[in-house]
């Protein structure tokens, strides 16, 4: 990591990088445990506790919901509606994965509000998510369209287009992950710039920027990531006869 | 030819500024998408939620090219791959 440019008026350097918390030595290699890992664990812990509480609450579900049960039903109805709207008849199989993805990315994006460094501002996390989606897309492609259909899809207008179609296929995980990563990173970078350069006058009003960069941008990017994954999976599942 | 570090840092800053010109394209594109969505809502107010979600999806995809420019700018400024 470079030294970073000392910007005029800053008492300390602008800092939104991933820092190591501690390190393990495995043979000759060093394994760094970074801020991303810690923040990821905190987000997962929050989600797990939320799920356990929600499960306990729903065991004693009431006919007429009230309080916490109302919120849970609202969230589930929203996510179900989103998934059913795009995937149609394929939705039952993918509901678990898409809902998990949605909730995880959303909580990661808004974890900047809790003072954490959002885990999705680490390219390792978003690339992992995109690769899972990529595997799912291509597994379903081979399962539903059969290898012959996949080959036919690759040579779409004419066989000479095959390299271009291949590049298009492999660009999917890269653009999916870079879009999410760059959006969240830009928000994190701008907030870090404001807090270091305008540190003396950054009182209360950065809250409005937090609403835009963390809440609004995070929600939009979650929606876009899930929408695109669902569209690609539905495309992969659709055969010509059906 | 040898250049010193300050020269390379300055040139990196200029390069980062130039890379952010990439923001013009997505700006224009998102504006066009929002304008058409507004006129579509005017014609058919009932479909407002569908139009809004389609618009947001399209805008987010159009934003990608601008974000690539932003990434290059951030890398040039803060990671500084060109200095030794």
């Amino acid at each position: 990591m470079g030294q970073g440019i000392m910007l005029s008026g800053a008492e300390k350097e602008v800092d939104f990088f991933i820092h190591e918390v501690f390190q393990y030595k495995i043979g000759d290699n060093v394994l760094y445990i970074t801020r991303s890992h810690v923040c990821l664990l905190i987000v997962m812990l929050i989600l797990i506790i939320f799920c356990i509480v929600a499960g306990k609450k729903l065991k004693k579900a009431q006919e007429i919901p009230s309080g916490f049960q109302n919120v849970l039903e609202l969230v589930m109805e929203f996510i179900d509606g989103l998934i059913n709207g795009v995937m149609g008849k394929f939705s039952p199989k993918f509901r678990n994965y898409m809902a998990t993805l949605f909730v995880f990315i959303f909580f990661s994006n808004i974890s900047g509000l809790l003072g954490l460094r959002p885990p999705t501002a680490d390219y390792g996390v978003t690339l992992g998510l995109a690769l899972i989606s990529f595997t799912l897309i291509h597994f379903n492609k081979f399962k539903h369209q059969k290898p012959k259909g996949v080959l036919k899809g690759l040579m779409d207008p004419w066989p000479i287009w095959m390299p271009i179609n291949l590049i298009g296929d492999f660009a999917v995980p890269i653009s999916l992950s870079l879009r999410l990563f760059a959006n969240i990173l830009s928000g994190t970078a701008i907030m870090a710039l404001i807090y270091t350069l305008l540190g003396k006058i950054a009182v209360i009003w950065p809250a409005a920027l937090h609403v835009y960069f963390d809440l609004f941008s995070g929600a939009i990017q979650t929606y876009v990531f899930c929408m695109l994954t669902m569209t690609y999976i539905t495309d992969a599942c659709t055969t010509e006869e059906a | 030819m040898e250049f010193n570090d300050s020269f390379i840092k300055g040139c990196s800053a200029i390069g980062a500024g130039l890379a952010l010109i990439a923001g013009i394209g997505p700006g224009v594109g998102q504006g066009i998408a929002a304008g058409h969505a507004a006129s579509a809502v005017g014609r058919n107010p009932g479909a407002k939620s569908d139009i809004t979600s389609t618009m947001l999806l399209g805008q987010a995809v159009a934003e990608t090219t601008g974000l690539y420019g932003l990434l290059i700018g951030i890398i040039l400024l803060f990671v500084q791959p060109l200095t030794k």
Side-chain angles (χ1 to χ4, degrees), chain A:
Chain A
M1 197 82 53
Q3 293 169 341
I5 290 180
M6 287 291 288
L7 289 142
S8 58
E11 283 160 20
K12 47 188 181 180
E13 274 188 42
V14 178
D15 175 37
F16 56 90
F17 302 114
I18 307 161
H19 293 294
E20 60 165 276
V21 179
F22 52 88
Q23 55 190 49
Y24 286 119
K25 277 216 170 63
I26 303 171
D28 292 336
N29 300 316
V30 185
L31 176 70
Y32 291 103
I33 301 295
T34 59
R35 265 160 87 184
S36 297
H37 293 104
V38 178
C39 294
L40 203 56
L41 281 176
I42 294 173
V43 168
M44 276 160 65
L45 210 64
I46 292 172
L47 284 178
I48 288 170
I49 291 172
F50 179 79
C51 288
I52 290 173
V53 172
K56 276 208 172 133
K57 186 82 186 168
L58 286 185
K59 280 234 175 79
K60 297 178 280 184
Q62 292 155 346
E63 186 98 23
I64 301 156
S66 62
F68 189 51
Q69 195 187 337
N70 247 335
V71 177
L72 289 176
E73 287 186 6
L74 203 71
V75 172
M76 274 327 290
E77 254 169 38
F78 172 70
I79 295 178
D80 269 358
L82 206 70
I83 296 167
N84 286 335
V86 182
M87 301 189 88
K89 63 174 179 171
F90 304 110
S91 62
K93 268 185 165 174
F94 299 105
R95 182 173 292 147
N96 284 340
Y97 173 66
M98 292 318 302
T100 312
L101 198 66
F102 192 93
V103 174
F104 173 72
I105 297 178
F106 184 65
F107 267 86
S108 299
N109 288 352
I110 65 169
S111 66
L113 291 176
L114 304 175
L116 304 175
R117 189 181 189 282
T120 33
D122 184 337
Y123 191 55
V125 176
T126 56
L127 184 66
L129 291 174
L131 282 181
I132 297 170
S133 291
F134 179 72
T135 315
L136 203 58
I137 292 163
H138 281 267
F139 178 77
N140 280 297
K141 209 179 217 176
F142 276 96
K143 189 176 158 195
H144 287 269
Q145 301 183 0
K146 308 285 179 288
K148 205 178 149 198
V150 175
L151 206 63
K152 211 174 146 199
L154 275 178
M155 303 180 185
D156 193 11
W158 306 294
I160 205 164
W161 281 65
M162 194 160 144
I164 297 172
N165 285 333
L166 266 179
I167 292 172
D169 274 357
F170 280 102
V172 166
I174 298 172
S175 72
L176 262 184
S177 57
L178 272 181
R179 184 177 304 123
L180 180 59
F181 164 70
N183 263 292
I184 307 303
L185 181 75
S186 65
T188 314
I190 291 172
M191 290 321 290
L193 282 174
I194 285 171
Y195 280 127
T196 37
L197 299 187
L198 303 175
K200 280 169 195 152
I201 54 168
V203 197
I204 301 174
W205 61 264
L209 293 174
H210 269 300
V211 169
Y212 178 75
F213 286 119
D214 287 334
L215 219 52
F216 180 71
S217 178
I220 295 279
Q221 289 313 312
T222 312
Y223 179 76
V224 167
F225 192 98
C226 292
M227 267 322 226
L228 285 177
T229 307
M230 285 194 283
T231 317
Y232 286 131
I233 292 177
T234 315
D235 259 11
C237 287
T238 315
T239 45
E240 278 175 12
E241 307 93 62

Side-chain angles (χ1 to χ4, degrees), chain B residues 14-59:
Chain B
I14 294 173
L18 288 177
L20 289 190
I21 294 176
I24 292 176
V28 173
Q30 288 182 339
I32 290 173
H36 282 291
S39 68
V41 172
R43 273 199 302 277
N44 185 4
K48 189 172 179 234
S49 64
D50 275 358
I51 292 169
T52 312
S53 62
T54 312
M55 180 195 78
L56 284 177
L57 192 67
Q59 285 185 331

